[in-house]
Amino acid sequence: MSATPSSRNRPVAFDHASVILAPKVLLHDHLDGGLRPQTVLELARESGYDELPADDVEGLARWFRESADSGSLVRYLETFTHTVAVMQTAPALRRVAGECAEDLAADGVVYAEIRFAPEQHLTDGLSLDEVVEAVLEGFVEGAEAAAAVGKPIEVRCLVTAMRHAARSREIAELAVRFRDRGVVGFDIAGAEAGHPPSRHLDAFEYMRANNAPFTIHAGEAFGLPSIHEAISFCGADRLGHGVRVMDDIELPSGTGAADRVVTGASLGRVANYVRDKRIPLEMCPSSNVQTGAVASIAEHPFNVLARLRFRVTVNTDNRLMSDTTMSKEFGVLADQFGYGWADFERFTVNAMKSAFIHFDERLRLIDEVIKPGYAVLIG
């Protein structure tokens, strides 16, 4: 289905076939969680990696999806052993990054911030700088290929430090070193329990001292204390996931997750702070169910938080493990909560406002790409 100028006076039907038309902004997507299964197989053969759990595309895709459906963040993270293993050379990193940009553009994503942990790609002798250079080159190549087929996309990078390791300051310095070459921010990720963000204060202080933005995975597998530390002690500009902010919100009896109107909610100090300061929540619905952050899409706090006017954004997290795309995530939320084009325009503008690029660049994409794109769909 395509929208033409003649259709601008009537809305485009909201269905799964037309969702791809919507301009999308993606803030939370892991490079090593979004490989094509075919690419995993081919890179494994090229590198001699022989520990893949399946040797065909369908079987491998199914293994990743089923293994990620454990309900445990720790087990979910174990699936990355195989993708990281085949991303240890510059050509492999360039290929994966290029395909990432092309795949997102084909799905209607117009701006994306893709994150990965450079410290996990040093096995074959690359330096941290060489790892980042290869990924950035891949993003440029992929964006150029996408533009050539009429699917322009702007891709930026977040470098991530693993919260169980001790290299966060070094990775923060890497983020600042490449800030004018495509890296727009810093992140910490990995298992939350036992690894509080406050252990990495020197990295966050370095980012703030250099006027550089950062996000923190918080409030996914661990509760409200993780969010409190991330914003109050560390100064996070955004929250990766943040679903457990609901622990600080009391809803009136009878209020359901799918209610179109939410009134009478009582917000605690952390929840109020997150909403008052417009701290963006990088929510990943399908992934949040897989990791056990929420029990089901029906119980996901996305809708309640959106109705309470938190700055919610829609994200994929790991497209391979969740067998998802941004269009699928839009569809899942629409099916569950009855959203339409105007809702997704708001969520997309939320995301664009929250991006780590400069204000004038954000405004240009909102005014010249996102709003015109939704105007066609809304009619």
Side-chain angles (χ1 to χ4, degrees), residues 93-172:
L93 289 164
R94 279 197 302 272
R95 174 178 176 176
V96 170
E99 291 177 351
C100 170
E102 291 185 66
D103 291 347
L104 293 177
D107 188 44
V109 176
V110 297
Y111 176 84
E113 291 179 2
I114 308 302
R115 64 190 70 193
F116 81 111
E119 64 194 83
Q120 294 190 310
H121 302 276
L122 308 177
T123 301
D124 283 8
L126 292 176
S127 68
L128 289 172
D129 286 53
E130 289 170 335
V131 168
V132 175
E133 287 167 353
V135 169
L136 294 177
E137 289 170 4
F139 286 151
V140 170
E141 292 167 2
E144 289 175 347
V149 296
K151 291 284 189 177
I153 183 173
E154 296 189 22
V155 184
R156 301 293 186 269
C157 183
L158 303 179
V159 292
T160 296
M162 302 309 297
R163 62 201 309 152
H164 60 272
R167 304 190 73 164
S168 55
R169 171 60 184 262
E170 187 179 8
I171 303 303

Side-chain angles (χ1 to χ4, degrees), residues 158-207:
L158 303 179
V159 292
T160 296
M162 302 309 297
R163 62 201 309 152
H164 60 272
R167 304 190 73 164
S168 55
R169 171 60 184 262
E170 187 179 8
I171 303 303
E173 292 173 354
L174 186 68
V176 170
R177 193 154 64 246
F178 279 86
R179 70 189 307 173
D180 297 320
R181 298 170 58 184
V183 174
V184 294
F186 171 71
D187 173 40
I188 62 166
E192 286 184 61
H195 305 286
S198 55
R199 289 188 179 178
H200 304 273
L201 282 177
D202 59 336
F204 303 128
E205 289 169 355
Y206 180 83
M207 294 298 290

Side-chain angles (χ1 to χ4, degrees), residues 26-35 100 104 112-116 139 156 158 160 282 284 315-320 324-326:
L26 175 57
L27 300 180
H28 192 122
D29 185 86
H30 292 265
L31 183 64
D32 50 345
L35 284 72
C100 170
L104 293 177
E113 291 179 2
I114 308 302
R115 64 190 70 193
F116 81 111
F139 286 151
R156 301 293 186 269
L158 303 179
T160 296
E282 305 164 355
C284 310
N315 302 277
T316 51
D317 202 12
N318 299 290
R319 287 168 287 117
L320 171 62
T324 195
T325 63
M326 281 291 283

Side-chain angles (χ1 to χ4, degrees), residues 66-320:
E66 292 176 353
S67 297
D69 278 337
S70 65
S72 162
L73 177 59
V74 173
R75 287 191 58 194
Y76 181 91
L77 294 175
E78 289 174 358
T79 60
F80 290 86
T81 300
H82 302 295
T83 56
V84 170
V86 302
M87 296 169 62
Q88 297 298 326
T89 67
L93 289 164
R94 279 197 302 272
R95 174 178 176 176
V96 170
E99 291 177 351
C100 170
E102 291 185 66
D103 291 347
L104 293 177
D107 188 44
V109 176
V110 297
Y111 176 84
E113 291 179 2
I114 308 302
R115 64 190 70 193
F116 81 111
E119 64 194 83
Q120 294 190 310
H121 302 276
L122 308 177
T123 301
D124 283 8
L126 292 176
S127 68
L128 289 172
D129 286 53
E130 289 170 335
V131 168
V132 175
E133 287 167 353
V135 169
L136 294 177
E137 289 170 4
F139 286 151
V140 170
E141 292 167 2
E144 289 175 347
V149 296
K151 291 284 189 177
I153 183 173
E154 296 189 22
V155 184
R156 301 293 186 269
C157 183
L158 303 179
V159 292
T160 296
M162 302 309 297
R163 62 201 309 152
H164 60 272
R167 304 190 73 164
S168 55
R169 171 60 184 262
E170 187 179 8
I171 303 303
E173 292 173 354
L174 186 68
V176 170
R177 193 154 64 246
F178 279 86
R179 70 189 307 173
D180 297 320
R181 298 170 58 184
V183 174
V184 294
F186 171 71
D187 173 40
I188 62 166
E192 286 184 61
H195 305 286
S198 55
R199 289 188 179 178
H200 304 273
L201 282 177
D202 59 336
F204 303 128
E205 289 169 355
Y206 180 83
M207 294 298 290
R208 288 199 300 271
N210 284 276
N211 304 118
F214 57 93
T215 180
I216 295 177
H217 278 70
E220 182 186 14
F222 202 61
L224 199 62
S226 175
I227 295 175
H228 179 243
E229 282 201 15
I231 59 176
S232 300
F233 298 161
C234 305
D237 297 290
R238 299 194 316 234
L239 291 173
H241 302 288
V243 293
R244 296 293 294 276
V245 74
M246 279 299 300
D247 293 357
D248 203 34
I249 300 173
E250 184 178 344
L251 297 176
S253 177
T255 300
D259 286 359
R260 290 184 176 273
V261 178
V262 178
T263 59
S266 176
L267 277 63
R269 295 191 183 279
V270 172
N272 261 321
Y273 187 85
V274 170
R275 185 172 68 169
D276 291 347
K277 299 289 286 186
R278 315 307 300 144
I279 296 174
L281 302 175
E282 305 164 355
M283 311 204 91
C284 310
S286 295
S287 171
N288 294 154
V289 174
Q290 286 185 304
T291 62
V294 298
S296 66
I297 294 295
E299 298 172 67
H300 200 287
F302 186 99
N303 182 64
V304 170
L305 294 170
R307 300 300 183 192
L308 291 174
R309 308 302 284 192
F310 283 77
R311 185 176 282 187
V312 295
T313 66
V314 183
N315 302 277
T316 51
D317 202 12
N318 299 290
R319 287 168 287 117
L320 171 62

